[in-house]
Amino acid sequence: MEEASKRALVIGGGIAGIQASLDLADMGIHVDLIEKKPCIGGKMAQLDKTFPTNDCSICILAPKLSECYRNLNITLYSYSEVQKVEGIVGNFSVEILKHARYVKEDLCINCGLCVEKCPMRVEDEFDRQLRKRRAIYMYYLQGVPAIMTIDKKNCLWFTKEACRICEKNCEKEAIDFNQKDELIKINNIGSIIVATGYNLIEDIDNDILKNYGYQKYRNVVTALEFERMLSASGPQEGHIKRISDGEEPKKIAYLQCIGSRTDRGAKYCSSICCMYTTKEAMIAHEHDNELESYIFYIDMRAGGKGFQSFLRRGEAEYDIKYIKSKIAEISIDKNESPIIVYEDLDTSEIKKLKVDIVVLATCIIPPEGIVKLAEVIGFELDDYNFIKTPPFSPVKTSRDGIFTCGCVHEPMDIPRSVAEGSSAAARAAEIIRGG
Amino acid sequence: MSEQEKKEDVRIGIFVCHCGSNIGGLIDCKALAEYAKTLPNVAHAEDNLFTCSETGLASIKKAVEEHDLNRVVVASCTPRTHEPLFRECISEVGLNRYLFNFVNIRDQCTWVHMKYPKEAYEKAKDLIRMGAYRAVILEPLDTIIVNVNPGALVIGGGVAGMHAALNLSRQGFKTYLIEKEDKLGGRLNSLYKLFPHDIDASEFVENIKNNVQNAQNLEVYTSSKLKNIKGFIGNYEVEVEQDGKKINLSVGAIIVAVGASLLKPNNLFGYDGKNRITQHELEPKIKNNEINANNIVMIQCVGSRNDERQYCSSVCCMTALKNALIIKEKKSDINITILFRDLYTPGIDYEEYYKKARKKGVLFIRYGLDKEPTVEGNQIKVYNEYIGEEIIIPYDLLVLSTPLIANDDNKELAQILKVPLEVNNFFLEAHVKLRPNDFATDGIYIGGSAKWPVDITESITQGYAAASRASTILSHETIEIEGATAYLPEWNKNLCKGCEVCINICPYNAIKKNEEDEIEIIEALCKGCGVCGAACTKKAIIIKHFTNEQILAEIYAFGGK
């Protein structure tokens, strides 16, 4: 079986794509793994911990990242995008655009000397704009491949033909300002798996979020921002502080269903927020045992393994108060502390609560670039632009030989993304092995 | 420090991991690395923010080369997730993978002693010292290579099992599908329509059964039960009983897809099986147009999400919505009220389905666990939170949404397969997050509601996922397995008195007496658990990688600061 000559192409190096790649590679099938960002890892790499075991996210992810990098059956194309797909099921040809990093991948040892010297300060995407990085940077600390990237839009050499300090300081002579984008053609691809993940509503639209004071009040943050604030390798180095004054919070409110389950935003349920919110409240409580947490929700959705016990633990051991409610308004006091006005649906009363930080559980939306990718590959999208899958064929797309897994077709948590990654691998293997 | 530990040829490198703030947030890892440098035979020590990152691994490799290290100790999280990675790393720079020692200073130190940083720091020092002493006498070992039989056994012919079997057979593996009932299909056989597209269940299941029947490489045994399993990953000898007749099969991997059962709500809400029934009993009534009620009330979470059974069964809200919608479609003037706690309709289609039910006029009333509805004759009393008072709803049909529960015979199956169950008697996977369809024992996989209540879509996903995981084994002619096993060396054979304690105590049946009446350990079956070594009164059995000397070295290091 190991001689199977057809390859598989996996687009997207988040946890779903990683699992699909590793399974196929372990079946002896060669995988070309394409990741748009400078490093694989996806959203899971940005999380502090994962529910319901509260395992450290990057800790359990890191071995898989390394495996993707080392496995001889996986060719990793980071900082790359699929441009063109030709052929039919069982025999696709794909054209990939590999962006120039302006750093020689075989020479860079990620020593960090270049970063130290780079004079530019740029908003850090990985840290959700809560910290500055340099124009030459490692996408994130534990990133794979562990190679620097020059961000052309902000590098002084590309914008003003000045500087080149990184080049002078690189002992390995790994900087290459003449590097060009590369077009790579891969033939003999039996099946393709699309696992390009998701974006969040704050990535495209702030209209809904404005109602909750986001970007108007500094102590209103989104859940992924808060995740970075909790993280030891994040902008606050694992000490939760208010953005406005650096004070440690004593009361945090978490607002569910922001931009989801509403006719004004997305009608669907984002699936994961009830659980990650409880997790964030638990972790915050571990930072400070006197912290009070309030979760404002519509329905607590906790159907997965161990999820209900997790909520019970939250209430009993972490001082989390769950409030079935509707949010009316958010304002701030003179210390920039958010004041929430809400209707308590248990008592039908209008109430007020002043907190130190508000965390918004924002809606999952289809990933940027999915419309173009759907055109390039030729699969259908649903009304929201998630990939359309037929009933009871959870990882199949409308085009033969093209499979999908993870949040790119519906919001889902990590265990389901992993199961779907394996599932898509099984389907792709069927085709590659001629079944 | 006694001089005897100072071994000339041993050069240990110790890497202390901060694990972000998991370790470094509580105790001083830099100081631990400095302390490690003072230990005998330690040629190098450093601290890393994440030793497991590519940068951290590069740092280990660099140190091995620069300092000519021949033992590596990493003090960090847990060997459960990270030992394979570090073993692989040192083998890439030419060291035998067993010359690596894991010191657990996170799960067993900073996490459990979160409130005692000083004591945790002292304990971490002890653990690192113990690890360093053990590292000195670690010995290189070979892994064991075994052949793989490219066949699979799928236990359970429901929707998950059938999809797993179809996929494996299409990948070219000889697959055996066994089902205890007299036909395939599992729970699908008793359903009417399937949410959220209201597809006809019998058409759907017949279609899959046809695919199974027409599949090449796929043999189905109905009315069959697993009786016994011998062997190990890649080489299982399976005994199946079909109608009292024994069938022997040889396979390389096993998938468990036995599904779940339904709770019978005896003593709950006046359940009588007549006009107080379960959702499951309602389906055939809808199918056969036997609904003669004008007022239907459904109660969610009957027997679940309480102290006795904490979990949410995840399929009951959608089932209730489905049955309510179908009834409304057949006869729109029937009043349907659903009493719920939290409506579980995650994702896109399910939430849409919920909206549809509201539009069609299904009434939803939320209740709390502290104020459960009560049944009095033909009335239900329920506290309505919105208006703040108790309301009375008349019914002529009461439908109870009961949870999926673990099968009674899961325990028996778990014992045969030597895999664990969780507290509700569902099967327990290797890692809830990242290994959802593996068992901790390699070679055996899990999918569908046998693991946890899931709907049909997710059962299919997991069926395929389990097949994928099995295929990662079946695709190879040979595989490498763990070399740290029990071992009866030639020179110890005269110590053995043939008492057979080891044979009786071994949980994996890995020890037997051979034709010469001598103890023989089948290494491929042995998991290295060590019970035989501990039980052997003559100390004849050695547990590789955990020899008495190695364990004593740790104990000595603990006592001899």
Side-chain angles (χ1 to χ4, degrees):
Chain A
M1 293 274 164
E2 285 175 62
E3 77 284 358
S5 58
K6 291 280 183 217
R7 307 158 78 99
L9 183 87
V10 177
I11 310 170
I15 187 62
I18 285 172
Q19 187 62 40
S21 303
L22 289 175
D23 272 15
L24 284 162
D26 287 343
M27 292 176 203
I29 293 168
H30 193 96
V31 178
D32 298 293
L33 173 58
I34 319 295
E35 169 57 50
K36 189 152 84 170
K37 300 273 160 61
C39 298
I40 56 170
K43 288 285 190 302
M44 190 175 167
Q46 289 175 284
L47 307 181
D48 182 38
K49 303 214 167 160
T50 61
F51 60 80
T53 49
N54 287 355
D55 272 313
C56 156
S57 190
I58 190 67
C59 304
I60 57 175
L61 180 63
K64 293 209 180 241
L65 301 178
S66 292
E67 235 180 299
C68 279
Y69 190 59
R70 287 142 192 275
N71 197 309
L72 297 175
N73 282 334
I74 298 177
T75 309
L76 175 59
Y77 298 92
S78 51
Y79 217 32
S80 302
E81 289 176 74
V82 171
Q83 293 286 94
K84 203 196 250 176
V85 173
E86 290 171 327
I88 53 159
V89 51
N91 196 10
F92 295 107
S93 295
V94 174
E95 220 171 78
I96 293 162
L97 177 69
K98 188 169 171 48
H99 296 287
R101 311 174 100 98
Y102 308 103
V103 174
K104 291 178 184 155
E105 297 197 359
D106 51 338
L107 294 182
C108 174
I109 56 160
N110 184 29
C111 68
L113 282 177
C114 53
V115 175
E116 263 172 49
K117 305 287 181 195
C118 175
M120 288 302 291
R121 298 291 184 277
V122 185
E123 300 236 310
D124 191 331
E125 175 199 352
F126 188 83
D127 274 328
R128 305 299 288 184
Q129 286 78 41
L130 292 173
R131 168 157 68 178
K132 303 276 188 208
R133 62 162 168 81
R134 309 298 166 98
I136 185 164
Y137 69 113
M138 183 63 198
Y139 182 53
Y140 65 100
L141 199 67
Q142 311 84 348
V144 170
I147 298 164
M148 295 292 169
T149 303
I150 293 179
D151 151 16
K152 196 177 173 180
K153 263 192 259 156
N154 291 295
C155 168
L156 280 176
W157 174 248
F158 289 107
T159 53
K160 300 207 168 87
E161 297 212 351
C163 190
R164 293 179 81 128
I165 287 176
C166 53
E167 191 179 36
K168 287 171 207 120
N169 282 283
C170 179
E171 288 172 2
K172 296 284 173 181
E173 298 182 356
I175 309 292
D176 178 7
F177 284 104
N178 297 320
Q179 218 175 52
K180 297 270 174 290
D181 288 355
E182 238 181 299
L183 265 185
I184 299 164
K185 189 153 186 190
I186 308 173
N187 295 320
N188 215 22
I189 291 169
S191 180
I192 298 173
I193 295 172
V194 184
T196 52
Y198 65 96
N199 275 93
L200 291 156
I201 191 168
E202 64 262 36
D203 295 330
I204 55 152
D205 182 0
N206 285 331
D207 275 359
I208 293 166
L209 296 179
K210 260 183 211 150
N211 297 332
Y212 298 95
Y214 181 63
Q215 288 191 333
K216 191 156 83 180
Y217 309 138
R218 285 187 288 178
N219 295 321
V220 175
V221 299
T222 68
L224 191 54
E225 288 168 3
F226 192 62
E227 205 71 52
R228 295 311 302 151
M229 287 161 73
L230 289 171
S231 171
S233 51
Q236 301 186 341
E237 291 169 339
H239 303 287
I240 316 168
K241 291 177 286 194
R242 288 172 19 127
I243 310 270
S244 65
D245 52 16
E247 287 292 311
E248 286 181 11
K250 289 290 168 201
K251 274 186 189 179
I252 301 180
Y254 300 84
L255 275 44
Q256 300 304 99
C257 304
I258 302 302
S260 54
R261 298 190 72 194
T262 167
D263 290 336
R264 287 186 298 165
K267 292 189 178 64
Y268 54 85
C269 160
S270 221
S271 292
I272 60 171
C273 325
C274 287
M275 291 305 295
Y276 75 58
T277 291
T278 298
K279 171 202 72 182
E280 287 184 349
M282 281 184 177
I283 306 300
H285 190 268
E286 275 172 8
H287 287 244
D288 176 358
N289 291 337
E290 280 164 20
L291 188 87
E292 295 169 31
S293 308
Y294 300 85
I295 298 181
F296 293 86
Y297 73 99
I298 305 176
D299 290 286
M300 280 314 286
R301 292 187 166 167
K305 196 165 194 170
F307 289 7
Q308 288 289 331
S309 319
F310 190 70
L311 300 190
R312 281 176 173 239
R313 251 176 67 212
E315 220 164 356
E317 294 169 32
Y318 293 87
D319 202 15
I320 301 173
K321 290 172 193 73
Y322 293 93
I323 305 170
K324 187 171 171 91
S325 53
K326 273 189 177 152
I327 303 297
E329 188 187 63
I330 294 180
S331 56
I332 49 168
D333 73 356
K334 60 180 188 318
N335 295 321
E336 293 194 39
S337 296
I339 301 165
I340 303 165
V341 179
Y342 65 98
E343 183 189 354
D344 185 326
L345 294 179
D346 277 339
T347 59
S348 297
E349 286 172 294
I350 306 292
K351 292 180 181 171
K352 252 187 200 182
L353 181 74
K354 190 170 93 177
V355 295
D356 299 313
I357 293 177
V358 165
V359 181
L360 305 175
T362 53
C363 178
I364 284 179
I365 55 172
E368 193 197 336
I370 190 65
V371 174
K372 191 184 156 208
L373 193 64
E375 272 169 31
V376 167
I377 302 180
F379 52 74
E380 287 174 32
L381 301 175
D382 71 8
D383 295 344
Y384 299 101
N385 286 339
F386 287 107
I387 294 179
K388 200 170 181 173
T389 56
F392 303 127
S393 291
V395 297
K396 206 178 165 315
T397 71
S398 60
R399 186 167 179 200
D400 271 356
I402 315 289
F403 298 100
T404 179
C405 52
C407 287
V408 68
H409 77 92
E410 184 168 32
M412 66 183 70
D413 62 10
I414 294 170
R416 193 166 149 209
S417 298
V418 172
E420 284 209 352
S422 287
S423 187
R427 302 302 307 272
E430 262 184 37
I431 288 176
I432 288 164
R433 291 178 165 162
Chain B
M1 204 68 63
S2 88
E3 280 303 305
Q4 67 189 55
E5 285 81 33
K6 191 90 185 152
K7 274 191 152 179
E8 283 308 319
D9 51 343
V10 169
R11 299 179 59 79
I12 305 174
I14 298 186
F15 300 81
V16 182
C17 179
H18 291 240
C19 194
S21 64
N22 282 295
I23 299 168
L26 196 76
I27 59 180
D28 185 347
C29 294
K30 258 201 176 22
L32 282 176
E34 284 308 311
Y35 168 73
K37 282 181 191 163
T38 66
L39 298 169
N41 301 302
V42 173
H44 171 78
E46 63 178 69
D47 60 306
N48 319 100
L49 191 53
F50 285 99
T51 311
C52 64
S53 68
E54 273 302 316
T55 315
L57 298 174
S59 177
I60 294 180
K61 288 186 196 167
K62 191 171 147 226
V64 169
E65 275 160 4
E66 271 178 15
H67 301 279
D68 200 17
L69 304 177
N70 51 24
R71 302 285 191 284
V72 170
V73 175
V74 173
S76 62
C77 48
T78 163
R80 213 162 52 88
T81 52
H82 281 61
E83 191 168 64
L85 178 71
F86 293 123
R87 282 181 169 180
E88 193 59 40
C89 169
I90 70 162
S91 77
E92 280 171 21
V93 273
L95 289 185
N96 182 282
R97 52 204 297 125
Y98 290 93
L99 296 176
F100 168 78
N101 195 23
F102 208 109
V103 175
N104 185 330
I105 59 166
R106 190 190 69 179
D107 290 16
Q108 295 173 359
C109 188
T110 56
W111 274 5
V112 285
H113 308 303
M114 205 175 271
K115 292 184 181 136
Y116 305 96
K118 248 189 229 154
E119 289 83 351
Y121 176 72
E122 288 305 318
K123 178 171 168 182
K125 271 168 77 177
D126 287 344
L127 291 168
I128 290 171
R129 185 175 65 253
M130 291 160 75
Y133 273 57
R134 173 164 180 256
V136 173
I137 50 173
L138 284 177
E139 283 166 16
L141 297 174
D142 292 326
T143 48
I144 301 161
I145 309 280
V146 296
N147 291 326
V148 175
N149 175 329
L153 171 74
V154 179
I155 309 168
V159 69
M162 287 193 291
H163 280 87
L166 276 172
N167 180 264
L168 286 171
S169 65
R170 285 173 185 158
Q171 285 196 50
F173 304 115
K174 179 82 201 173
T175 306
Y176 305 97
L177 174 61
I178 65 168
E179 164 59 47
K180 69 179 173 189
E181 302 296 331
D182 58 2
K183 60 178 176 188
L184 293 175
R187 187 154 317 287
L188 274 174
N189 289 327
S190 60
L191 298 178
Y192 172 36
K193 302 251 174 174
L194 306 174
F195 62 75
H197 302 285
D198 297 347
I199 288 170
D200 191 88
S202 54
E203 260 174 53
F204 177 66
V205 73
E206 284 314 315
N207 196 10
I208 307 170
K209 282 189 207 169
N210 278 340
N211 290 338
V212 169
Q213 261 137 28
N214 297 331
Q216 287 180 343
N217 299 319
L218 178 52
E219 273 178 38
V220 178
Y221 297 90
T222 50
S223 306
S224 296
K225 234 184 137 182
L226 182 71
K227 286 316 255 187
N228 197 12
I229 282 190
K230 281 188 196 153
F232 45 90
I233 182 169
N235 303 271
Y236 293 103
E237 295 302 324
V238 180
E239 193 185 302
V240 174
E241 194 180 273
Q242 186 182 41
D243 298 328
K245 173 173 100 238
K246 293 227 163 96
I247 299 160
N248 293 310
L249 307 169
S250 303
V251 296
I254 296 167
I255 291 175
V256 177
V258 293
S261 308
L262 275 165
L263 179 77
K264 200 129 186 125
N266 294 328
N267 305 323
L268 292 172
F269 300 103
Y271 168 79
D272 60 8
K274 291 175 197 145
N275 70 335
R276 298 178 197 137
I277 60 176
T278 64
Q279 291 287 355
H280 194 246
E281 288 159 349
L282 175 66
E283 301 226 352
K285 284 186 194 289
I286 303 175
K287 189 178 180 179
N288 303 327
N289 291 314
E290 288 168 4
I291 307 281
N292 301 314
N294 292 315
N295 295 300
I296 301 177
V297 176
M298 298 180 175
I299 304 179
Q300 300 304 106
C301 303
V302 173
S304 65
R305 296 182 66 204
N306 55 20
D307 289 335
E308 185 198 352
R309 210 170 282 105
Q310 289 193 3
Y311 63 89
C312 159
S313 172
S314 83
V315 298
C316 336
C317 283
M318 283 300 288
T319 305
L321 292 177
K322 173 188 73 178
N323 288 337
L325 275 167
I326 298 170
I327 293 171
K328 277 276 184 196
E329 210 150 282
K330 290 194 175 192
K331 209 166 165 233
S332 63
D333 58 350
I334 296 181
N335 297 316
I336 304 178
T337 309
I338 298 181
L339 309 182
F340 72 103
R341 286 171 57 198
D342 291 280
L343 215 84
Y344 189 68
T345 56
I348 301 169
D349 296 338
Y350 292 4
E351 184 70 15
E352 187 75 41
Y353 209 62
Y354 177 24
K355 290 215 143 167
K356 196 170 147 192
R358 279 185 177 277
K359 266 191 206 134
K360 295 272 177 195
V362 178
L363 277 176
F364 290 86
I365 297 175
R366 182 171 172 262
Y367 75 89
L369 193 55
D370 51 338
K371 291 192 184 92
E372 279 201 332
T374 50
V375 181
E376 287 175 19
N378 287 331
Q379 293 181 333
I380 308 255
K381 285 188 181 171
V382 62
Y383 180 80
N384 186 327
E385 287 161 342
Y386 289 88
I387 54 175
E389 54 190 67
E390 193 171 74
I391 58 168
I392 294 169
I393 312 165
Y395 73 87
D396 31 38
L397 184 62
L398 177 64
V399 187
L400 307 176
S401 294
T402 54
L404 288 169
I405 55 171
N407 294 342
D408 284 341
D409 50 8
N410 278 1
K411 269 187 192 159
E412 196 188 327
L413 183 58
Q415 253 167 19
I416 296 176
L417 294 169
K418 297 188 178 71
V419 294
L421 300 175
E422 49 81 83
V423 57
N424 302 294
N425 284 332
F426 290 105
F427 286 91
L428 180 63
E429 65 273 45
H431 190 279
V432 66
K433 213 72 189 172
L434 291 187
R435 294 178 68 191
N437 300 98
D438 297 4
F439 279 113
T441 314
D442 290 333
I444 310 182
Y445 305 92
I446 171 87
S449 290
K451 189 186 83 168
W452 196 250
V454 284
D455 59 29
I456 289 162
T457 304
E458 204 165 337
S459 293
I460 294 170
T461 300
Q462 290 191 25
Y464 282 132
S468 179
R469 303 297 300 145
S471 176
T472 62
I473 302 301
L474 300 174
S475 300
H476 303 274
E477 282 171 17
T478 59
I479 46 162
E480 265 184 29
I481 58 177
E482 183 60 49
T485 60
Y487 166 58
L488 179 61
E490 215 38 59
W491 59 88
N492 271 4
K493 279 194 173 153
N494 61 335
L495 292 177
C496 173
K497 299 291 178 233
C499 72
E500 297 189 10
V501 166
C502 54
I503 296 179
N504 296 324
I505 207 170
C506 174
Y508 303 99
N509 301 322
I511 309 179
K512 62 174 188 184
K513 268 197 175 162
N514 64 17
E515 285 131 28
E516 279 105 61
D517 210 31
E518 281 178 344
I519 292 291
E520 189 184 320
I521 298 169
I522 307 147
E523 287 195 321
L525 272 176
C526 173
K527 305 273 179 232
C529 74
V531 294
C532 58
C536 179
T537 52
K538 301 294 171 193
K539 296 198 177 93
I541 293 178
I542 291 172
I543 310 298
K544 289 192 227 169
H545 206 54
F546 293 93
T547 63
N548 286 347
E549 292 72 23
Q550 287 164 356
I551 291 168
L552 286 169
E554 285 192 326
I555 296 170
Y556 173 78
F558 176 65
K561 286 187 189 188

